[in-house]
Amino acid sequence: MTIWGALAGGLVGTVVLTSGLRIAQELGWTRMDIPLLLGTAFTENRSRANVVGYVLHFVNGLLFALAYYAVFAAVGHAGWLFGLGLGFVHALFAGGALVTVLLPAVHPRMGTPWSDAEETPLLEPPGFLLRNYGDQTAFGTLLAHLAYGAIVGGFAAHLAGWT
Amino acid sequence: MERIEGYAPIRDYAVIGDGRTCALVALDGGIDWFPVPDIDSPAVFARILDGRKGGAFELQPEEPFEVERRYQDGSNVLETTFRTASGAVRVTDALVLTDTSSLAPMRELVRRLEGVSGAVPMRWRVEPRFDFARGRTRTGTRSGRFFASWATDALSVNVWDAGDVQIDDGTVSGRFELRAGAEALIDVAVTHREPAVIPTRRNAERRLERTVRFWPEWSRHAAYEGPWRGPVVRSALVLKLLCFAPSGAIVAAPTASLPEWIGGGRNWDYRYSWVRDASWTLEALLRLGYRDEAEAYFWWFMHATRLTQPRLQILYRTDGSTRTVEQELAGLRGYRGSAPVRIGNGAVDQVQLDVYGSMLDAVCRYARETGRVDGDTGKEIGKIADYVAEHWRDRDSGIWEVRSIETHFTQSKALCWVALDRACSLAADGVIPDHRDRWRREADEIREFIDENGWDAERRSYVRAPDMPELDASLLTLNLLRYDEPGGARPNGVIEAVKRELADGPLVYRYRGEDGVAGREGAFLTCSFWLVDALARAHRIDEACELMDELVALANDVGLYAEEMDPETREFLGNFPQGLTHLALVNAAVSIEDAKAAR
C-alpha cells in the first residue's frame, strides 16, 4: 500500500518534473533535454533516442520514488515538506554528480575533458551544475526536483496514513 | 569585390540552405546572414544589417585575390575559387542535410577547402552574435572546440587542418597555408534548446557528400526543356530553399530588412508565408512537376488558416501561427545605413482581397493535377468562396499592401472575380459544394464594377483604382489569370500601357503613385517577368523571348535575383533572393513554351 503510494507519487512527480523541464526549455532557461541525453546513450537515431529516453526517465522516476520510500520507512515519517527536502538533495545529486560526472563517464556519446571527438559524434557535456546547457539550468532543475520530492512525499504520506 | 563600410553589394551574395534555414555567402567568402535554428529565427550572423557588429564568418586568402564561383550543377551547394599570385583554393559551402539515422547537429554549416594549385595563405574568422547581436554571447572551449552560447542557442566551431585556433574577444580565428592537393574543413554546428552535438570530420564530410548528391537528384526532375532551363532550374532550387521542410510553409524570401532603396526606410521582414506568393509558388512548382512540395504547402495552408477561415490572413508564420508583431531593431544600423531594421511584419492585419483569387486559382490547379482534395477540405474551400461573394465590395490595401488608406483596387476586385470563377470550376468538378448560381451572379457584378470604374477607355487600360487613375503593373496579373480572353484588345491594351508608363528598358516599376510610405524604391523585377508572361499569353512570342533574354542577363553571377533593381546602376535592392521574382521567371518561361506549343 505505502509502496504503491510512493510509486504513484513517483509517476505523477516524474510527469510534473519532465513537463517542468520541457517548459523551462520553451521559456529559454535551458538546453537540457533529459530524454535525449538518456536515449542517446543507447542509440544514435534521434527519434528512437527520444522514445527510449522518455521510457528510461519514467523508470528512473519510479526507482527514485522507491528510494524516497526507503528513507520515509527508515525515518517513520513522510509528508510533502519532508519530500521537498529530499527533492533538494535529489537535485544536488542530479546536478552535481549524476548528470555532471556519472552520465559523461558511462555515456558513449558524451564528451569528457579527455575526449578528442574524432571517432564518435559527441554530445556536449553538461558541465559543473549543468551550466553548459544555460545559466538557468541549475535553477530549473532544482525547481523541478523540489516539485517531484513534494509530490512523492505527499502521495506516500496520504496513502500510508503517515503524517 | 569591394565592401562599402563592411557591406557587400546585394548582387554579390549567393544563398545556401537546408530546408530549415538559409545563409548568404558573399563573393569574398564572408557569410553575412545566418538565422538559426530556423529561417524566421534571429540571426547569429547579421553583418548584412550591421557591418560593424552584426557578426559574420569570414574566409578568404590573406593576399590579393580574384574570385569566381558557381553552384555545383543543379545544386544549392556553392563552389568559390580564389586565385592569388601564390595559387588557387576552392571552397565548397553547404548547409548540410541531416542524416536522421545518426546523431547529427541540429543545423550544420560546412566549408570544405581544397588546394587547387600552389600554396595559398588563408585566414578565417567566426564572430557569432546571437539574436541580431542583442544577446550577450558567452564563449569558451569544450571538448577542444570553440563554443558560443546565449540563452538556449549555442554553436560550436569545429576545425580540421585549418591552422591553430585563436580565441579573442568572442571571436575564433585561424591562419594557415593550403597547398595543392591538401584539404581543410571548418564546420559550424548549431543547436537550440538541446545539448549540442559535436561533429567529427568523417561524419561532417559524409553529410556534405550526401548533400552534394541530393540536390542534382532533386533538380533533375524539373519538367521544363526550353531554352532557359538553367535559369528555370536555378529558380526552382531557390523556391525549394524557401520551402520550410518541418511544416511545408513557403516563405517569401530568406532575409529581413534589405532596403528597397539604399539609405531608405522601406525595409521589411519577408521570412513569412504570404498566401499570395505561396499560392503562386505552388503553381510554379506544379508546372515544374514538383507535386510533393505543392502537396506539403497545400496541407500546411489548409491547417494554418483553420483559425481564421473563411477569412484569410495575408501572411502566416512558418509554424502556422499568426503572431508577426513588427518591431524595429534600434541596435542595428541597417544595410548601408538603411534604417530602421524591422523584424516581424505589420502588414499582417491588412485586408488584401486579391489573396483569395491567388489561393483559389492555386487550389483549382492543385485539385486538377493531383485529385487530392477531400470532402471536408472542399467544404472549407466552398466557405472561402462564399466569403469572397460576401466581401468583394469591401475596400482593401491591395496586392502591394500599401500603408495609405484602403480603397477599391481594380486588381483586388478582378482577383475576387478569379476566386469566384475558380470556385465555379471546382464546384462543376464536384470538388467543393455547389453554390455556382450565387458565385456566378456576384462574379458578373464584379465585372460590371470594373468595367464602369476600373477601365480607362482613353488609355485603353485598367487603372489602379477608381480614385487612383494611374497605372499599376499588378494589372498584368489579370492577363496571367485569364480575367480577359488572352490576346484580346484589353490584355494588349494593358501590356502597351505598362510598357509606356511603367517600363524603363527591361525593368518595370510597380506604380508611380503614392503608397503611404516615404522614400523611393527600385523597379520591381517580378513585374518584368509578368510582362514576359503576359506577352507570351497574348501570343506575342518574339517580344516575350526578347525581353526574357534581357531579364535573364540581369541575374547575378550565380543566377539569383533580388526583389528590385535600380534601373540606372543595376544594383540589386530589397530582400534576396526573392521567391516572387524567381517564381515569376519560372511561370514566364513555361508560358512561352506553352504559347509556342499552341502556335
Side-chain angles (χ1 to χ4, degrees), chain B residues 74 156 178 208 217 425:
Chain B
S156 63
L178 197 64
L208 176 61
E217 177 60 23
S425 297

Side-chain angles (χ1 to χ4, degrees), chain B residues 159-176:
Chain B
V159 182
W160 294 277
D161 298 330
D164 292 333
V165 173
Q166 306 289 321
I167 298 174
D168 180 31
D169 194 25
T171 67
V172 56
S173 59
R175 289 185 152 81
F176 64 106

Side-chain angles (χ1 to χ4, degrees), chain B residues 26-27 54 59 114 124 145 162 169 186 216 220 243 252 255-256 271 306-307 331 434 495 521 551 562-563 571 575:
Chain B
L27 194 56
L59 171 65
E114 299 162 89
W124 58 271
R145 314 293 174 86
D169 194 25
I186 306 176
R220 79 183 175 85
C243 295
T255 57
R271 300 171 302 155
R306 190 136 293 173
L307 283 177
D434 192 352
I495 289 171
E521 66 169 27
L551 293 171
E563 181 182 30
E571 189 167 9
N575 284 308

